[in-house]
Amino acid sequence: MKKVKVGIVGLGRLGKQHAENLAFRIPHCELTAVCSVIEDEVKEVQERWNIPYTYTTYEDMLQNKELNAIFIASPSGFHCKQIQQALAAGFHVFSEKPLGLYLEEAVEVQEAVEAHSDKVFMLGFMRRYDKSYMAAKEKIDRGDIGKPIFIRCYGLDPAVKMDSFLKFAGSNYSGGLFLDMAIHDLDLARWYLGTEGKEVWAIGGGYERKEFDELKDAETGAAMVRFENNASGVFLAGRNCAHGYHIETEIIGTKGSIRIGTVPERNQIVLFNENGAIQECVDGFLERFEQAYRSEAEEFINCILEGRKPAVTVRDGVESTRLAYSCKESFEKGELIQNRTNSLTV
């Protein structure tokens, strides 16, 4: 079977993990080109992994006719433009979330994807490819908990990364707490409940670090959402979790409930000593979702080879962005917001 030749843009923490997966762990895939505006990142990857082509300008990489696909792991503010450029240049495209920081540009990307229907487009909502979250979806669809009517999501990043979070929040590329972090949970809610958000109320602030208030972002924020089918959800996102990286989801139905990740355990070890029973927790998203990142990249490559489209669509990106943006607007205005499901043609 032939190999899909991929070029990746963005070699930050997540981008480098994606690049390593593409280079060494994804069958029928060849990491052929890497791109970063930081020249040292490009040199390091080329020397360590012997990558044939390296670039510091994205547009230059798009001129490489050996490539079949582009993998976008750049900062969020670049996603929309880079997706449209790659599609126009004739490539299949994988993009990390979010689809965009503004609803209008996300809709423009949807139009571009639909105009290039012969190309595979996939968005990086990796939790849909995590084995636990996939198993929960199967149980919900099978009716094991009856009709799902409520979802509760915690997305908490480790407190030890607070300084780097502040730098990112001030970069104008994060989009804020709800677009950067809670969007994963909002996408899961749409997936599990099978409906779109209708009304949003979001609150939050800077509690440990007041710099977040100055940036008009939230260190910790919460949103309550009423969905179109009258199901509801509560979403907590924060950047100050003392015990590590904590991702937890609960779906309550009319006949039962499912919980995922109640204890963010690193392994099956429990240490018993004078301090009690101690379990180590994962320290970041790369560790917790290592398998999911591999699985989503493998699905992208398989879709290209098999001539099919992934289950995660560009519309998922638009509607999750729409809902996250409504949360952001509610937080900033301190008002109940009607999610603008039909305000733009999609």
Side-chain angles (χ1 to χ4, degrees):
M1 184 179 288
K2 71 173 185 178
K3 287 191 174 183
V4 177
K5 295 187 176 183
V6 180
I8 188 170
V9 58
L11 293 172
R13 186 167 46 149
L14 178 53
K16 189 171 291 184
Q17 182 64 58
H18 277 311
E20 188 171 349
N21 286 339
L22 294 167
F24 303 111
R25 302 187 183 98
I26 308 302
H28 314 300
C29 174
E30 179 183 314
L31 182 60
T32 306
V34 296
C35 177
S36 172
V37 294
I38 302 175
E39 190 171 354
D40 287 345
E41 291 181 346
V42 173
K43 287 182 178 179
E44 178 190 359
V45 169
Q46 183 182 39
E47 291 172 0
R48 287 177 56 193
W49 301 342
N50 196 29
I51 305 300
Y53 300 101
T54 60
Y55 302 91
T56 55
T57 302
Y58 180 65
E59 289 75 13
D60 290 343
M61 185 171 72
L62 295 182
Q63 298 300 313
N64 188 330
K65 300 306 179 183
E66 287 188 34
L67 301 177
N68 307 116
I70 300 297
F71 211 97
I72 297 172
S74 54
S76 302
F78 296 105
H79 291 180
C80 285
K81 181 180 179 180
Q82 290 179 341
I83 291 167
Q84 293 178 76
Q85 287 177 302
L87 289 170
F91 295 107
H92 303 288
V93 180
F94 179 102
S95 176
E96 258 304 326
K97 64 79 195 169
L99 186 63
L101 298 184
Y102 302 98
L103 186 54
E104 291 79 4
E105 65 178 8
V107 173
E108 289 178 2
V109 170
Q110 180 172 3
E111 293 170 351
V113 170
E114 291 173 348
H116 296 85
S117 59
D118 59 322
K119 300 302 177 185
V120 172
F121 174 77
M122 184 170 174
L123 193 61
F125 284 131
M126 81 293 185
R127 293 191 201 174
R128 293 196 187 202
Y129 294 90
D130 175 80
K131 291 180 180 179
S132 296
Y133 282 95
M134 292 173 69
K137 174 64 171 172
E138 291 174 2
K139 293 180 186 300
I140 292 169
D141 289 348
R142 198 167 57 209
D144 288 2
I145 64 169
K147 180 181 178 180
I149 57 173
F150 180 84
I151 186 167
R152 171 183 64 86
C153 299
Y154 293 166
L156 304 172
D157 275 343
V160 294
K161 305 288 179 65
M162 191 86 76
D163 287 336
S164 63
F165 295 147
L166 274 167
K167 187 180 298 183
F168 181 54
S171 68
N172 294 322
Y173 292 126
S174 78
L177 183 74
F178 296 102
L179 275 161
D180 177 46
M181 290 183 63
I183 194 166
H184 279 296
D185 295 309
L186 297 170
D187 175 68
L188 285 175
R190 297 178 55 255
W191 192 41
Y192 285 145
L193 300 176
T195 187
E196 302 296 348
K198 183 177 181 179
E199 291 180 315
V200 173
W201 174 259
I203 57 175
Y207 302 99
E208 181 68 18
R209 300 291 292 271
K210 293 298 182 182
E211 296 98 311
F212 283 104
D213 290 332
E214 298 168 8
L215 294 168
K216 297 182 180 179
D217 196 3
E219 171 192 305
T220 301
M224 177 175 286
V225 178
R226 183 158 69 99
F227 292 87
E228 290 181 350
N229 66 356
N230 209 35
S232 57
V234 173
F235 304 87
L236 174 68
R239 296 182 169 106
N240 187 23
C241 184
H243 59 266
Y245 180 65
H246 192 141
I247 301 299
E248 180 178 353
T249 306
E250 181 178 28
I251 309 100
I252 296 176
T254 54
K255 296 181 180 179
S257 63
I258 295 172
R259 289 186 181 181
I260 309 162
T262 300
V263 179
E265 57 190 19
R266 169 169 282 165
N267 50 45
Q268 296 298 308
I269 295 173
V270 180
L271 172 65
F272 296 92
N273 61 20
E274 67 276 9
N275 295 315
I278 301 170
Q279 288 181 275
E280 291 186 1
C281 298
V282 294
D283 66 357
F285 59 90
L286 292 179
E287 181 180 7
R288 167 62 182 86
F289 292 107
E290 180 181 6
Q291 167 266 313
Y293 284 121
R294 289 199 310 271
S295 295
E296 68 173 2
E298 188 169 354
E299 171 68 358
F300 176 60
I301 297 302
N302 287 340
C303 283
I304 294 172
L305 292 171
E306 296 167 12
R308 59 181 175 85
K309 298 297 177 68
V312 181
T313 68
V314 66
R315 183 177 182 277
D316 291 314
V318 171
E319 294 306 327
S320 296
T321 300
R322 192 190 306 279
L323 186 53
Y325 202 81
S326 292
C327 292
K328 173 183 171 69
E329 186 178 358
S330 176
F331 164 69
E332 291 177 347
K333 293 182 176 180
E335 300 174 358
L336 178 71
I337 297 294
Q338 300 292 318
N339 190 43
R340 296 170 292 175
T341 307
N342 299 313
S343 61
L344 292 173
T345 301
V346 295

